[in-house]
């Protein structure tokens, strides 16, 4: 059932997609082909999937660990932005003076920046009991405005005709490419490492065990002496660091500079990816690819058929609904006819 | 996982070839990349009008494709690359944030021609183009100076980039020429299109005493606010009269139609060259929407004279003497601002409140 | 100084209007969360409400019908959420997010034929004498109907939750759905109704934006207000009165920072734009220090999946 269900969901999506495109006046076969087949029909296409999925997976891994512990980090978008600001800022600071050490330093700085931004909601929650949902969400907007401010000011390329864009990063500050003919960069390797690391953490370490228990039964965790504060710090800092790494990967990778629009909402999409992947690292990897495919497929459909972007959003939503709805077949056994007896509810 | 993916890709490749082969065309494919939705009835909408003009005039020789709502980050390069790899021979990328992605793709596809709007980097196969919107600002600034009674003009800005700042300055210079007591107050909404914020900004400016509003954002929200409060406003990017028939005095309308048709023709007959085009009224890259019938005839006549003067080169939007806010003369009498000065403008002229956010 | 005082009146008036969509959406979501369900799809429901309300008004000329349609459309989206999460037991967080994605696309799709169409304005109250009072005149007596309705919803929701039997049952369901079920209350049905209410309120919030605040349709016209509304429910520790304060705080600071810019005060606009968010965090920190108060208000079953035989 675990494997059949996603296939069932995709099948349902294909059928309803077929109907949707047909009623909107587009060739349904061509549309579905553009959505699902075209993006994977070339090496470059698959590479683009990896490029798009990388920040999603990086963020989602960290978020999922937090969600397991009932720590609701909604601030991945802001933490990603801070990672780009700190890591990218180093690239600008050492412009012209770089060396082989610049990129590793940027990676560390990016992770530190993201972790720092996540430390704020962590501190506010532990010290003042302020909900991290709200604080991390609000900080997303603050981070965005901060980026904007920097891009119109100190980070701006002095020779750039006052455009709000930074200098293009030099070779020492750019993520090396992994596969020729694609944009796949080192960040994707980090994402795979994060998947492996996340799995190791949750499945094989004591801390992972603590996280799971705290999430499921906080009282029992308290009796067992698990330190909830430590876990809150750990999960928030970890997800912040991973999100920061994702942000750094974007600006040092495919974008190659800092500008005001480094993320089309990866931090929020990563939350969907985390749950689609059922908070499990391997699931997240697959879900990341699937989400990336739905975005890229939408672009391909626009180019190939003139399908309006709005329809791709509807299609994406449908895909997600079917995936989420068919989940019930995995978690419960469906029986028809038998009515539950109210008296049995005492069980 | 790897094997399945490979198998899937192999099978898909066969399918793709099968479907693709049927699409062989004689017509040249022209691509357009928009940063916003075509339906914004503002910036991207006007670019799309250019595309439609190309289809209308050259539809027998070209087919056009457009992709809308393309964010300016990592996605842009992918979209442009996809257009270049799928047979498009001329691609228009219509926002400055597409600059570096366009160049990266252009490097990989030397046989494809690219046109980048409002940028400054070119290559053998990348041309740049933009419109001298500030020329329009001069005309409406003059009208504003004459129509205001409170001597406070509200200006809704999007982002503090030179294009917007030079617009504010051109507007203010013309306004002060006919009304030395008037001042301009600027509010930045940090977005090109956010109706709610723009309406709030308009209300704030009006509450502070402004009775004429000018904007450099793309939605008609401010027009509606002005109409509601019985005041005046200038539309932006497209004619916005229907949102405020009494309030809307005129608008600066972007017009890419003749430029796009010219460039596509050049690509078709092989005369296309990389160049920088920065056209104003005289190159038909912008025009003014019809004047509000309630405008007094003498003001309209003066506005028209200013416009034709600019068009004929008799008047420059930044002709000296131009003083900055500290009183220092930046452009001396007898001279006009150079293109480079305008492109890099990040300071205000006398008459604008506040400082340029930096 | 007198110039600043003269601005106080317009700022208050604008603040009340700006807070209205936040108020509707947040109050709706508050009821939903009190019943134990977390619906993150507020932004999507607001957008669909906005576009459907606009479409109806553009074609019939009636704002009242538009608002009714907005509420119905929002409730329709919420029904979809309800079926997925309450009947098919899907994960609430993910489904809510998917609903937002779906709503953004669906609203853009429906709205394609309605961009650039102006509609008649919703009239504002004008009581001669009262409306012209200095400072508070426009703010209290010069608003349009929806602003007053939004204000009225605050005590209405409060009364429902804390002063009526049905509200008590709803809160019980939110606290401990197993116990409520054991007592014979129809958990799924109560939650479903709450979800529908939340959807209708979000729909009205969206319709207010497209019919009244800026009478037009544009893709993404809500500009993230749905997320702010969600945050406000948490900020308010699930108490209706606090939602009002949060909405005023957020709306007020937003308007005030625009005025600061207009007055030419030399603070970069991007830093000023951060103020509403920072203010919300600061105030939340100040009011969150009392741990017991938070624990007493968060519905204990929030987000947990209810299965009768589990």
């Amino acid at each position: 059932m675990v494997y059949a269900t996603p296939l069932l969901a995709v099948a349902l999506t294909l059928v309803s997609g077929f109907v949707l495109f047909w009623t909107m006046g587009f060739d349904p076969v061509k549309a579905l082909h553009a959505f699902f087949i075209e993006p994977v029909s070339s090496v470059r296409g698959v590479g683009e999937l990896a490029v798009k999925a990388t920040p999603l997976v990086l963020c989602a891994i960290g978020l999922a660990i937090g969600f397991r512990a009932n720590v609701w980090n909604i601030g991945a978008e802001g933490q990603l932005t801070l990672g780009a600001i700190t890591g990218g800022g180093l690239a600008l600071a050492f412009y012209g003076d770089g060396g082989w050490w610049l990129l590793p330093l940027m990676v560390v700085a990016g992770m530190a920046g993201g972790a720092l931004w996540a430390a704020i909601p962590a501190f506010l929650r532990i010290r003042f009991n302020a909900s991290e949902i709200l604080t991390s969400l609000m900080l997303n907007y603050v981070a965005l405005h901060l980026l904007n401010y920097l891009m119109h000011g100190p980070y701006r390329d002095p020779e750039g005709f006052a455009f709000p864009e930074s200098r293009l990063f030099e070779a020492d500050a750019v993520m090396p490419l992994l596969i020729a003919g694609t944009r796949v960069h080192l960040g994707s390797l980090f994402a795979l490492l994060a998947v492996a690391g996340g799995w190791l953490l949750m499945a094989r370490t004591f801390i992972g065990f603590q996280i799971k228990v705290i999430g499921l039964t906080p009282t029992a965790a308290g009796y067992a002496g698990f330190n909830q504060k430590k876990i809150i710090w750990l999960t928030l800092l970890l997800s912040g660091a991973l999100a920061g790494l994702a942000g750094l990967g974007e600006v040092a990778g495919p974008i190659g500079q800092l500008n005001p629009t480094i993320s089309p909402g990866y931090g929020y999409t990563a939350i969907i990816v985390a749950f689609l992947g059922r908070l499990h690292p391997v699931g997240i990897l697959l879900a990341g690819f699937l989400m990336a495919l739905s975005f890229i497929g939408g672009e391909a459909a626009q180019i190939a058929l003139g399908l309006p972007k709005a329809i791709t959003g509807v299609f994406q939503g449908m895909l997600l609904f079917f995936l989420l709805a068919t989940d019930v077949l995995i978690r419960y056994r469906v029986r028809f006819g038998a009515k539950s007896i109210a008296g049995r509810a005492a069980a | 996982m790897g094997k399945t993916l490979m198998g899937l890709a192999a099978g898909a490749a066969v399918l793709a070839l099968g479907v693709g082969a049927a699409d062989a065309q004689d017509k040249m494919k022209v691509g357009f990349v928009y940063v916003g939705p075509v339906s914004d009835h503002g910036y991207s909408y006007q670019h799309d009008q250019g595309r439609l003009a190309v289809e209308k005039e050259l539809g027998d020789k070209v087919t056009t494709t457009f992709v809308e709502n393309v964010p300016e980050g990592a996605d842009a390069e992918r979209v442009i690359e996809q257009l270049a790899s799928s047979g498009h021979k001329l691609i228009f990328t219509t926002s400055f944030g597409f600059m570096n992605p366009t160049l990266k793709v252009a490097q990989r596809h030397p046989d494809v021609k690219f046109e980048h709007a409002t940028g400054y980097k070119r290559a053998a196969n990348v041309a740049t183009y933009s419109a001298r919107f500030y020329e329009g600002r001069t005309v409406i600034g003059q009208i504003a100076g004459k129509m205001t009674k409170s001597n406070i003009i509200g200006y809704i800005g999007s982002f503090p980039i030179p294009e917007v700042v030079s617009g504010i300055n051109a507007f203010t210079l013309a306004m002060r020429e006919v009304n030395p007591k008037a001042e301009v107050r600027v509010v930045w909404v940090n977005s090109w299109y956010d109706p709610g914020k723009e309406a709030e900004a308009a209300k704030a400016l009006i509450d502070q005493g402004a009775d004429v509003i000018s904007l450099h954002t793309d939605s008609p929200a401010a027009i509606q606010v002005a109409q509601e409060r019985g005041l005046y406003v200038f539309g932006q990017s497209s004619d916005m009269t229907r949102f405020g028939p009494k309030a809307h005095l005129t608008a600066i309308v972007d017009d890419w139609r003749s430029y796009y048709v010219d460039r596509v023709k050049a690509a078709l007959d092989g005369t296309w060259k990389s160049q920088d085009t920065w056209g104003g009224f005289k190159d038909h890259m912008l025009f003014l929407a019809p004047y509000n019938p309630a405008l007094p005839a003498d003001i309209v006549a003066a506005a028209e004279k200013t416009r034709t003067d600019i068009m004929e080169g008799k008047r420059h939007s930044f002709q000296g003497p131009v003083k900055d806010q500290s009183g220092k003369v930046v452009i001396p009498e007898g001279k006009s601002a150079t293109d480079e000065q305008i492109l890099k403008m990040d300071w205000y002229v006398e008459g604008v409140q506040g400082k340029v956010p930096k | 100084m007198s110039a600043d005082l003269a601005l106080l009146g317009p700022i208050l008036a604008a603040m009340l209007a700006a807070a209205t969509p936040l108020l509707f959406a947040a109050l709706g979501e508050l009821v939903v969360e009190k019943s134990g369900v977390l619906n993150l799809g507020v932004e999507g429901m607001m957008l669909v409400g906005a576009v459907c309300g606009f479409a109806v008004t553009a074609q019939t000329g009636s704002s009242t019908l538009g608002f009714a349609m907005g509420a119905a459309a929002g409730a329709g989206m919420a029904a979809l959420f309800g079926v997925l999460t309450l009947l098919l037991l899907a994960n609430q967080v993910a489904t809510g997010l998917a609903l937002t994605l779906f709503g953004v696309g669906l609203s853009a799709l429906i709205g394609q034929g309605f961009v650039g169409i102006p509609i008649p304005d919703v009239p504002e109250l004008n009581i001669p004498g009262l409306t012209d009072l200095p400072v508070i005149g426009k703010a209290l007596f010069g608003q349009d109907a929806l602003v007053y309705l939004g204000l009225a919803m605050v005590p209405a929701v409060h009364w429902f939750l804390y002063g009526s039997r049905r509200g008590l049952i709803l809160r019980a369901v939110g606290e401990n759905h197993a116990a409520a079920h054991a007592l014979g209350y129809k958990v799924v049905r109560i939650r479903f109704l709450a979800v529908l209410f939340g959807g209708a309120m979000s729909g009205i919030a969206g319709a207010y934006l497209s019919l009244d605040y800026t009478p037009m349709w544009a893709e993404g016209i809500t500009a993230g207000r749905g997320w702010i509304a969600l945050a406000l429910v948490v900020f308010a520790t699930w108490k209706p009165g606090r939602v009002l304060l949060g909405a005023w705080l957020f709306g007020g600071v937003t308007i005030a920072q625009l005025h600061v810019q207009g007055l030419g005060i030399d603070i970069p606009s991007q830093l000023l734009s951060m103020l509403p968010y920072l203010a919300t965090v600061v105030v939340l920190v100040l009011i969150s220090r009392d741990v017991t108060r938070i624990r007493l208000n968060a519905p204990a079953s929030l987000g947990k999946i209810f299965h009768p035989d589990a």
Side-chain angles (χ1 to χ4, degrees), chain A residues 162-182:
Chain A
F163 270 28
E165 288 186 352
S166 79
R167 292 181 152 123
L168 287 171
F169 291 174
E170 297 179 307
D172 286 322
V174 167
M175 291 281 211
L177 292 176
L178 293 180
I179 304 177
T182 70

Side-chain angles (χ1 to χ4, degrees), chain C residues 124-145:
Chain C
E124 280 164 359
L125 196 63
N126 199 335
I127 308 175
L130 284 176
T131 308
D132 299 315
L133 283 176
V135 181
I136 55 165
K138 269 237 116 189
L140 292 183
F141 301 106
Q143 306 278 11
D144 50 56

Side-chain angles (χ1 to χ4, degrees), chain B residues 160-317:
Chain B
I161 57 175
E163 179 191 308
V164 180
V165 175
S166 59
I168 296 174
N169 286 341
F171 181 94
T172 309
L173 285 171
M175 173 193 82
R176 300 269 283 192
E177 199 184 68
V178 301
N179 185 345
K181 291 208 223 101
E183 69 171 16
V184 169
R185 298 200 185 178
V186 184
V187 171
W188 300 99
V189 297
N190 287 313
S191 163
W192 287 104
Y193 194 91
D194 186 339
K197 269 246 177 69
E198 295 173 47
E200 286 163 5
K203 286 185 201 158
L205 286 163
I206 292 174
D207 288 335
Q208 288 190 5
D211 60 355
V212 180
I213 303 283
S214 179
L215 44 133
H216 205 133
T217 47
D218 284 343
S219 91
I223 319 284
Q224 292 174 319
V225 172
Q227 169 90 354
E228 207 189 336
R229 305 252 184 138
L231 301 171
Y232 296 121
V233 65
F234 298 100
Q236 165 62 17
S237 285
S238 62
D239 184 351
M240 295 177 166
T241 306
R242 64 186 172 295
F243 289 97
K246 289 215 192 88
H248 186 275
L249 294 178
T250 177
I252 299 176
V253 185
D254 311 345
D255 190 3
W256 310 104
R257 290 173 299 181
S258 51
Y259 179 76
Y260 282 179
V261 169
D262 283 346
R263 297 302 275 165
V264 173
K265 276 193 189 148
L268 279 172
D269 61 25
T271 57
W272 190 95
K273 260 187 358 278
S274 165
Q275 63 192 35
D276 177 41
T277 306
W278 200 16
F281 279 123
K282 76 170 184 347
D283 311 280
H284 304 292
M285 290 183 83
L286 68 146
F287 62 88
L288 291 176
Y291 296 104
N292 191 320
L295 271 174
D298 57 325
I299 296 186
V300 173
E304 274 298 284
K305 175 154 193 314
T306 305
R307 188 180 66 82
T308 44
D309 278 351
I310 295 177
M311 206 158 82
E312 292 162 10
K314 293 198 201 130
R315 183 195 171 125
H316 190 276
S317 293

Side-chain angles (χ1 to χ4, degrees), chain A residues 175-225:
Chain A
M175 291 281 211
L177 292 176
L178 293 180
I179 304 177
T182 70
R183 290 196 296 167
V184 179
H185 59 91
L186 197 60
S188 303
L189 192 62
F190 286 137
L192 288 174
L193 286 173
V195 170
W199 177 81
L200 257 175
L201 178 74
M202 294 307 289
R204 290 278 183 271
T205 68
F206 186 49
I207 292 205
F209 179 68
Q210 291 183 46
I211 289 174
K212 283 187 269 192
V213 174
I214 285 179
L216 287 169
T217 47
T219 358
Y223 290 140

Side-chain angles (χ1 to χ4, degrees), chain C residues 50-225:
Chain C
V51 74
C52 290
F54 186 86
V56 162
T57 303
Q59 295 189 315
T60 64
S62 157
S63 311
T64 323
L65 274 182
F67 280 110
M69 183 64 203
M77 288 279 284
L80 180 58
F81 175 85
V83 164
L84 283 166
T85 55
L86 298 173
L87 295 178
L88 293 175
L89 306 177
N91 177 283
Q92 289 175 13
V93 173
T95 308
L97 292 173
L99 193 74
T100 296
L101 214 65
F102 183 70
V104 169
L106 185 65
S107 61
L109 197 60
I110 296 175
Q112 273 180 343
F114 293 101
V115 184
I117 298 183
I119 52 167
D121 200 19
V122 172
E124 280 164 359
L125 196 63
N126 199 335
I127 308 175
L130 284 176
T131 308
D132 299 315
L133 283 176
V135 181
I136 55 165
K138 269 237 116 189
L140 292 183
F141 301 106
Q143 306 278 11
D144 50 56
L146 263 295
V147 176
Y148 297 121
L149 183 64
L151 292 171
M153 288 304 290
V154 176
V157 168
H158 182 94
W159 171 83
F160 171 74
L161 286 175
Y162 297 101
S164 78
R165 188 155 183 281
R166 290 228 172 88
L168 177 64
I169 297 171
L170 185 140
R171 281 187 292 129
V173 166
E175 289 301 322
N176 190 335
H177 49 213
H181 177 75
L183 283 171
Y185 293 122
K186 306 237 178 320
V187 172
V188 172
R189 185 201 294 178
I190 291 171
R191 283 184 168 168
F192 203 89
L193 288 172
V195 163
L196 287 180
F197 174 73
M201 291 285 273
S202 291
I204 294 178
Y208 175 73
L209 287 173
S210 69
L211 292 177
D212 200 342
Y213 203 61
T214 51
M216 56 183 285
W217 164 252
E219 276 185 38
I221 194 173
T222 49
R225 285 182 179 81

Side-chain angles (χ1 to χ4, degrees), chain B residues 143-159:
Chain B
I143 300 176
K146 292 190 183 166
M147 292 299 284
T148 178
K149 295 202 179 52
S150 68
N151 286 338
I152 300 179
I153 315 279
Y155 208 108
I156 303 177
S158 49
F159 294 101

Side-chain angles (χ1 to χ4, degrees), chain A residues 291-317:
Chain A
M291 282 302 291
L293 181 62
S294 70
F295 281 112
I296 297 182
E299 281 165 11
Q302 279 193 71
I303 294 178
L305 290 154
L307 206 76
K309 178 137 183 181
I311 298 191
T312 66
V314 172
F315 188 63
Q316 253 181 334

